[in-house]
Amino acid sequence: HIALPGDTVESEVLATIARLNADPAVHGILIQLPLPPHIDGRKVLEAISVHKDVDGFHLYNVGGLVVGNTIFPPCTPYGVQLLLDTTGTDVAGQNVVVVGASNIVGKPQAMLLLQAGATVTICNSKTRDLAAHTREADVLVVAVGRAKMITGDQIKPGAVVIDVGMNRLADGKLSGDVDFASAVERAGWITPVPGGVGPMTIATLLSNTLDAAEHRA
């Protein structure tokens, strides 16, 4: 664990990554985001060796998602795919709606689902009549960062609901982007918050790191 002060200059961050890239004892590098505003986050992520980018954020790995040839899939979308696998749901031909179009979750999640043969709709903050889309979803993945945004009446009965959101409410409790209490009455499968996607993100990060070590060996 390398904890640099908040006022660390960008050149020092890049030099640290270069040192880790060259260290054969280090198999994976993860940058804790967000970075301070004076540091170019994209430049830092692209400085990581593609073969040690266990978070899957390097442009090579992101681009690889489009052609199905990424070295390390992004951890959270990869974890969501594994969760879907455990339900026995074959997403091929299914209507899948992804709410949220971030570079970390929404976009790569859509690419992974497309590769699996799903018919994918990506919704964002400008989508008109969001509920009209979510009610048609056999699989609904929500990653917008807005507490309880999706309610039970917006969910197709029996749908698989994956809640990637993590929000802290005024009373200090954690909530997902889906209103669990109403959604659980409609969904066939649904992830809790906390304890759902989060642990899978950590597990897939470790899986990617193991793969990186095996590739090097």
Side-chain angles (χ1 to χ4, degrees):
H1 181 207
I2 301 174
L4 300 176
D7 60 356
T8 301
V9 296
E10 184 177 281
S11 59
E12 184 176 347
V13 177
L14 294 173
T16 301
I17 292 173
R19 186 175 74 251
L20 296 173
N21 282 339
D23 187 347
V26 174
H27 299 107
I29 302 171
L30 177 149
I31 303 297
Q32 183 64 56
L33 301 174
L35 292 171
H38 67 281
I39 295 177
D40 185 339
R42 176 51 61 187
K43 183 186 295 185
V44 169
L45 293 176
E46 291 177 15
I48 298 173
S49 166
V50 172
H51 300 285
K52 298 187 178 185
D53 173 40
V54 291
D55 235 354
F57 288 164
H58 191 283
L59 278 180
Y60 181 93
N61 281 318
V62 174
L65 285 174
V66 178
V67 296
N69 192 33
T70 186
I71 296 178
F72 300 113
C75 296
T76 297
Y78 182 25
V80 169
Q81 292 295 104
L82 294 178
L83 283 170
L84 289 172
D85 289 345
T86 66
T87 69
T89 301
D90 182 1
V91 299
Q94 301 270 19
N95 291 327
V96 179
V97 173
V98 178
V99 183
S102 70
N103 292 331
I104 294 176
V105 180
K107 292 175 184 176
Q109 188 70 70
M111 289 297 102
L112 286 176
L113 289 163
L114 281 171
Q115 289 172 21
T119 300
V120 182
T121 299
I122 305 177
C123 298
N124 55 46
S125 60
K126 295 180 175 61
T127 298
R128 291 179 293 179
D129 197 358
L130 176 63
H133 295 280
T134 60
R135 291 190 186 110
E136 295 298 316
D138 302 306
V139 176
L140 179 62
V141 181
V142 189
V144 291
R146 190 183 304 174
K148 302 184 179 182
M149 176 182 174
I150 302 297
T151 54
D153 63 321
Q154 296 174 283
I155 296 171
K156 180 179 181 179
V160 179
V161 179
I162 306 290
D163 189 352
V164 186
M166 179 72 78
N167 311 280
R168 191 165 296 279
L169 304 176
D171 60 5
K173 295 181 180 180
L174 294 175
S175 167
D177 293 343
V178 176
D179 178 35
F180 189 90
S182 61
V184 73
E185 299 296 327
R186 303 262 289 187
W189 297 82
I190 185 169
T191 58
V193 176
V197 175
M200 292 301 297
T201 299
I202 297 170
T204 51
L205 173 66
L206 294 173
S207 176
N208 280 349
T209 304
L210 178 60
D211 286 344
E214 291 176 341
H215 290 161
R216 180 170 183 84

